[in-house]
Amino acid sequence: MDEDWLSQRVRSAEASIPGGFDLSACVTERIHLLGGVQSYGTLLAVDAATGLVDTAAENTGALLGRDASELVGRPVTAVLDAADWEEAVESAVEGDSVAVAFPVTAGAEPVRSRFDLGVHRRDGLVMLEFEPREPGDTLRFAGFYQGVRRALRRLRSATTVLDCCRAAAREVRALTGYDRVVAYRFDGTDGPGEVVAEDLAEGREPWLGLWFPATDIPPQARRLYEENWIRVIADVDDPTARLLPPVRPATGEPLDLSGAALRTVSEFHLEYLRNIGVRSSMSVSLLREGRLWGLIACHGDAPTRLAPEVRSACELFGVAFSMQLAAIEERERADALARSGRDASAVAELLDADVDGSLLRHEAELRRLVDADGVLLVRGGRASGAGLAVPSELAAALGRYAARLRSGEVWATDRLGELLAEDGVDVPLTADGPAGVLMLPLSPDGDYLAWLRAERPLPRA
């Protein structure tokens, strides 16, 4: 369960807040089943086989000229031309979370208006999202392509991860006009995030270098970011348009809006945005091997609606960033492997027949292999170490972990104290003692070689 994602340290911090705050409610909230859409657009979920409307947003009357109660159970062609419905069915591929968008004229006579129609499939339904087309949009975006080309060209010229992030923040702000754009990198799949680059309007307080807790983006939100490249919140004070029916008879649950651009927003997240003075936002996912690596997060001081052309450009930018990131990290990984190989060979040349003794005589070189603060060798029940002091109870506990590992399997943790506490292991740890371990088992009996790091505090918001 997602509630198990909260570590004991997070739970303790939560309990220490005056008045209390239950983070588990945020972590377990089913944000894809909130039963509403942002009201600047509207939504119809239509059975792909019959063309009958299964679910409708309550604001269809205002935007499409036909109340939701009049649409549910009836043909979608009451508000959408048959040719456009046919194109929607053909465009939406089951299992493909990427929406297709095209312009339509829709609505019941005499209320006929221009819309951008977003289409995707979910659970056998064709999801139709109608966003009113603003007058002059076509002319306004005629030269937009040149800006997109420039942004992609600058991204491709980046040679380091940090260069990529700086280019992303700068170019996405130029494309969208938000007041603050930051590139945000996670420390591991479920870890906190660091602002590694930003571009902001004059007078804004810089966030560069700040860290934000992992609970800002709980697991279910991270899953949706991995499924959808982009997420836009037009106005934190938007009155949500609820869905009819609130619960689908076919499933006993609200309509699944995981892939909907108009999906309404969790009250937890809206409160968070209001607390930091944000009125509108956009997030672009940055993926590495299909997992969430980071985000390009955009904040506006005023309500901001982004046309599909802009969203598509930002989505393309996120895809291009992820590809560039993969290329850069692959090159850096290859360089690091070559460097590590040279360092390991240099250490190996220092060893002699007395392996234990020679390892410890050259412990400085051994620690430098992984930038460690200490090294510990346990063989035959005898522990030898250098650098950080390791209590005998901890050495024994690590031996029990080592005995569970397969030959050649590497084990590591950067939260040693939390791990021991969660496993019920009572070991005395000091503030200047080991906080992280990288361990290589040497035998099935619990012999091991371990590199140790002390806690390394970082500034975090």
Side-chain angles (χ1 to χ4, degrees), residues 60 67 130 155 173 237 245 260 268 277 288 341 366 390 448:
T60 55
D67 288 343
F130 297 82
L155 179 64
R173 183 162 178 255
D237 296 323
F268 290 111
R288 181 178 62 190
L366 192 61
V390 179
Y448 63 89

Side-chain angles (χ1 to χ4, degrees), residues 40-76:
Y40 68 88
T42 193
L43 177 143
L44 298 175
V46 185
D47 186 281
T50 65
L52 299 180
V53 175
D54 177 274
T55 306
E58 66 181 5
N59 62 344
T60 55
L63 293 178
L64 296 176
R66 189 69 62 88
D67 288 343
S69 59
E70 299 175 13
L71 289 172
V72 174
R74 293 179 172 82
V76 69

